[in-house]
Amino acid sequence: MEPLSFQEYICSLDPATLPRILRICSGVYFQGSVYEISGNECCLSTGDLLKVTAVTLQKVICEDVQTGQKTELPLTFKGLFQASSASLPHPTPQGPSLQDGRQKGLTLHQALGQSSRQTQPLLCPSISPHALLLSPVYEVLATMHLRRDQVRIPSTLEVDVEDVTEESQDVHFARPLLLSELLGMEEVLPAQAEILEGPHGAAIFESSWASRLQKGQRLQIHGCSHTWRVLASARSSARRFLLSSSYQGRFRRRPRQFAGVQELAAGLQPGQRLHVVVTQDCEGRGDDVPALSVGDRLEARQLLQNAGGTGLLCWRRSEEEDGDDEEGEELLLPLDLGGSFVEEVCDNKKYGLEELLERLTLPCDVRVAATDPALERDVLGSFSSLRLEARISQPFLLSSFCEEPDEGFEIPPQWLDLSLVLTGEPVGTQSPSTHRSHVEELTEAFYYQLLAQLPGGSAPPPPRPPKPKAAGGKAQTHTGRKNKAHPRGSCPSAPQHPADPQAPPTPSLPPKVKSLPIQQSIPNKYSPCPHRPTAPQLHNAPGDTDVKTDSDEHDYETIEGSIQKTIRKVQAILPF
């Protein structure tokens, strides 16, 4: 077939013969504003193949032969046309249908059917007394090689084509796919594919295989992975990980740490009690909120509503060493109270990842007691504490590079999508190893993006109410510092309101620490020893009872023994 203009070919095309394969003989790059707006931009180069699947009439241009004026006719035009050869310079033979049309008239679509076979001027009194030429404009729906969607091309595109349908029966028009589309096409897997366009956006994984997913890279996609993941973060650094359910390491529980009563209440599960130890002194608030001291053992029970707001009901155990002793006191701690707490954990058993999630509620703190033997270097073993934050059920595709078919990795198409084309080449029957996907390190940007996608992750935590301001200036600061020195902190008095400016100032008692300058006097045998008594465990000489009696008359504080006792108590409670 000789090359024709695209318009001539489409006007003469019989729709019953579709689809037809065309070869571009003179290609152009067409980029007009009309096609940009409607999304019809396309690039046709010489030699490209085009598979025409449908042709739709869009509009009809009517041109007055004498005046050259052009008018666009609606497809619902009701006027009748009659054939006329008077205005043509070279009259053409007229068939029987044109003879009938001269007598009865032709509809718009009938006239177009006649003019598609030969150029013939027509008469239509409702438009003009002169001869008219009809030029139809079609929208052509076609498939192109390595183009994801079908293209829509106007028939007026200035390009020459030739019909090569007969000699192109074996031509396959490859259609690009998104990796996410393969999740619903398990019947075509395993398959070999070539990447046409790499993933967009910021990186997700820190792994080396993720950076190799670029244009031209060939992959073997073996199938869907049915493993789930656990989001974990290292408490001592800013590193985050995805742990596969195939991870073979063993974990040991670690006590959770809570900064304030607000976090302590958030870690309390419904119907359960939480046992913690105070690790930082916390000043009280009058008689209603007693002070908390290092080593206090609390049992958080439930949230209660009272006139002052919501509080956390706790039971403070007595200082007896016997754990079965039920003596103690009930406390209602306000949620805006500070302090620091650590969970009591008496479980030294090693757990696998699945068993751990069955026993504990996320989030929870753990440490790796035995690393994964399948990994050459298990990075999780270098952290003293890991927080397991959430379980994630996301589909993954088990893949490998064609040059490394035995080293597998798992791609999450919903997070890391890319464009590829199936090559049709064979894939090995043996599945690759997946140990590289047991632990995947996440980038910081994707970690926070993932947190926002998790259920309840989009809302920030409620702000902590401000702590009450202390009044009293330097004296109040000094008093607070002195209270922190006691092993059992005393409750500070309620904040004082400013005094009436007309009233005389109330004399304040000097702090007891002002009596210390007496130590500068020269000691003699008649005066009590001004030196600070040494710790009992260092000296136990006889005859020093008088010194102890005299030291009781002063306001000296012996805190070393209490600190040692508190340290021993915390070490006995915590397993690490």
Side-chain angles (χ1 to χ4, degrees):
M1 171 182 175
E2 293 295 327
L4 296 174
S5 69
F6 195 47
Q7 173 73 11
E8 290 177 338
Y9 178 84
I10 296 301
C11 288
S12 62
L13 179 63
D14 183 2
T17 63
L18 294 178
R20 308 295 295 180
I21 299 179
L22 309 180
R23 179 187 290 122
I24 306 299
C25 296
S26 58
V28 296
Y29 178 73
F30 188 86
Q31 186 180 8
S33 59
V34 173
Y35 302 101
E36 287 181 355
I37 293 173
S38 58
N40 294 338
E41 177 186 332
C42 63
C43 179
L44 300 177
S45 302
T46 301
D48 285 353
L49 294 181
L50 202 66
K51 186 176 183 179
V52 178
T53 57
V55 175
T56 305
L57 180 63
Q58 292 290 100
K59 58 185 177 180
V60 178
I61 304 298
C62 179
E63 180 182 359
D64 191 315
V65 174
Q66 183 172 344
T67 63
Q69 183 179 359
K70 294 183 179 180
T71 305
E72 181 176 330
L73 299 181
L75 300 182
T76 57
F77 180 72
K78 301 298 184 181
L80 296 178
F81 295 87
Q82 291 180 349
S84 173
S85 59
S87 301
L88 286 179
H90 301 286
T92 57
Q94 299 178 359
S97 58
L98 289 179
Q99 295 288 347
D100 296 338
R102 181 180 295 227
Q103 298 175 0
K104 299 179 182 179
L106 300 172
T107 64
L108 177 62
H109 292 278
Q110 289 175 338
L112 291 176
Q114 298 298 331
S115 62
S116 65
R117 291 189 290 268
Q118 54 186 350
T119 303
Q120 178 68 34
L122 301 172
L123 294 176
C124 183
S126 61
I127 299 178
S128 172
H130 307 129
L132 304 171
L133 289 177
L134 299 181
S135 300
V137 178
Y138 295 92
E139 181 183 69
V140 180
L141 189 64
T143 301
M144 299 181 65
H145 183 59
L146 293 182
R147 189 176 180 101
R148 175 175 172 78
D149 300 319
Q150 287 189 308
V151 294
R152 299 178 182 272
I153 308 174
S155 61
T156 54
L157 186 64
E158 296 182 357
V159 60
D160 293 339
V161 297
E162 62 175 336
D163 194 316
V164 292
T165 304
E166 301 302 327
E167 59 264 37
S168 304
Q169 294 297 320
D170 298 332
V171 173
H172 174 66
F173 288 83
R175 175 179 174 267
L177 297 171
L178 292 177
L179 193 63
S180 55
E181 291 182 276
L182 289 179
L183 291 174
M185 301 171 58
E186 293 191 48
E187 67 278 0
V188 304
L189 300 178
Q192 190 173 134
E194 180 180 342
I195 298 178
L196 299 177
E197 190 175 1
H200 297 283
I204 292 178
F205 297 129
E206 299 284 2
S207 307
S208 59
W209 63 262
S211 60
R212 297 172 60 182
L213 299 178
Q214 301 296 332
K215 180 179 180 180
Q217 178 67 58
R218 286 181 170 263
L219 300 176
Q220 290 184 351
I221 304 175
H222 301 271
C224 294
S225 173
H226 301 287
T227 57
W228 41 267
R229 299 297 196 277
V230 174
L231 180 63
S233 59
R235 304 298 301 273
S236 58
S237 66
R239 301 179 67 179
R240 291 94 180 181
F241 305 91
L242 269 185
L243 278 59
S244 169
S245 58
S246 302
Y247 181 77
Q248 298 301 315
R250 310 288 288 179
F251 298 92
R252 196 175 266 147
R253 292 185 59 188
R254 273 194 66 87
R256 289 177 290 176
Q257 299 179 6
F258 307 97
V261 179
Q262 177 78 38
E263 290 190 12
L264 185 60
L268 183 62
Q269 299 298 324
Q272 298 182 5
R273 296 183 178 184
L274 183 59
H275 299 272
V276 297
V277 178
V278 179
T279 58
Q280 179 182 346
D281 290 334
C282 181
E283 296 183 7
R285 298 180 184 176
D287 297 334
D288 296 334
V289 183
L292 302 177
S293 301
V294 174
D296 283 353
R297 303 174 66 185
L298 303 180
E299 181 185 88
R301 296 185 171 179
Q302 60 178 335
L303 290 172
L304 288 182
Q305 190 80 22
N306 59 7
T310 304
L312 180 62
L313 180 64
C314 299
W315 179 266
R316 176 160 62 183
R317 304 180 188 177
S318 65
E319 295 184 354
E320 298 294 333
E321 296 296 334
D322 186 5
D324 297 333
D325 191 358
E326 295 296 333
E327 295 184 3
E329 59 178 328
E330 195 174 69
L331 307 177
L332 186 61
L333 303 179
L335 296 184
D336 60 340
L337 188 66
S340 179
F341 311 89
V342 63
E343 183 182 14
E344 287 191 51
V345 176
C346 301
D347 185 4
N348 290 327
K349 182 181 176 181
K350 298 178 182 179
Y351 296 94
L353 186 60
E354 185 173 3
E355 183 184 8
L356 186 69
L357 266 60
E358 291 176 353
R359 294 179 59 91
L360 301 182
T361 303
L362 298 180
C364 66
D365 293 339
V366 298
R367 70 180 179 92
V368 176
T371 57
D372 190 339
L375 298 178
E376 182 178 349
R377 178 181 177 271
D378 188 352
V379 67
L380 300 183
S382 61
F383 301 108
S384 60
S385 177
L386 287 173
R387 167 153 289 190
L388 306 184
E389 301 187 31
R391 174 170 171 165
I392 300 174
S393 297
Q394 186 74 234
F396 283 71
L397 286 174
L398 176 59
S399 308
S400 63
F401 296 115
C402 290
E403 59 270 22
E404 301 172 1
D406 297 331
E407 295 294 330
F409 49 88
E410 297 181 352
I411 309 177
Q414 303 295 342
W415 301 336
L416 198 151
D417 211 354
L418 46 86
S419 177
L420 46 80
V421 60
L422 302 181
T423 62
E425 299 182 25
V427 179
T429 57
Q430 184 177 359
S431 296
S433 62
T434 60
H435 62 271
R436 287 202 297 186
S437 296
H438 288 186
V439 178
E440 292 285 4
E441 184 170 357
L442 303 178
T443 61
E444 181 179 7
F446 180 70
Y447 167 76
Y448 288 107
Q449 179 183 344
L450 184 57
L451 281 184
Q453 296 175 3
L454 295 176
S458 58
R464 181 178 298 172
K467 295 183 179 180
K469 296 182 179 180
K474 295 182 180 180
Q476 180 67 22
T477 303
H478 178 79
T479 304
R481 187 183 302 113
K482 183 175 180 180
N483 287 341
K484 293 183 180 179
H486 292 279
R488 169 74 67 176
S490 58
C491 301
S493 58
Q496 300 293 330
H497 296 284
D500 187 355
Q502 302 298 330
T506 304
S508 59
L509 295 177
K512 293 184 179 181
V513 72
K514 295 299 183 179
S515 62
L516 292 179
I518 194 173
Q519 297 177 4
Q520 299 178 359
S521 61
I522 301 176
N524 54 60
K525 64 180 180 178
Y526 300 105
S527 62
C529 180
H531 299 288
R532 185 180 182 89
T534 56
Q537 63 269 25
L538 299 180
H539 298 282
N540 195 17
D544 60 351
T545 55
D546 295 338
V547 177
K548 295 178 181 179
T549 303
D550 293 337
S551 65
D552 291 340
E553 299 175 2
H554 301 278
D555 192 30
Y556 299 128
E557 299 173 353
T558 306
I559 65 174
E560 289 84 354
S562 299
I563 292 179
Q564 295 294 333
K565 180 179 178 181
T566 301
I567 293 176
R568 289 195 299 270
K569 183 187 300 184
V570 173
Q571 289 176 343
I573 295 173
L574 302 181
F576 313 115

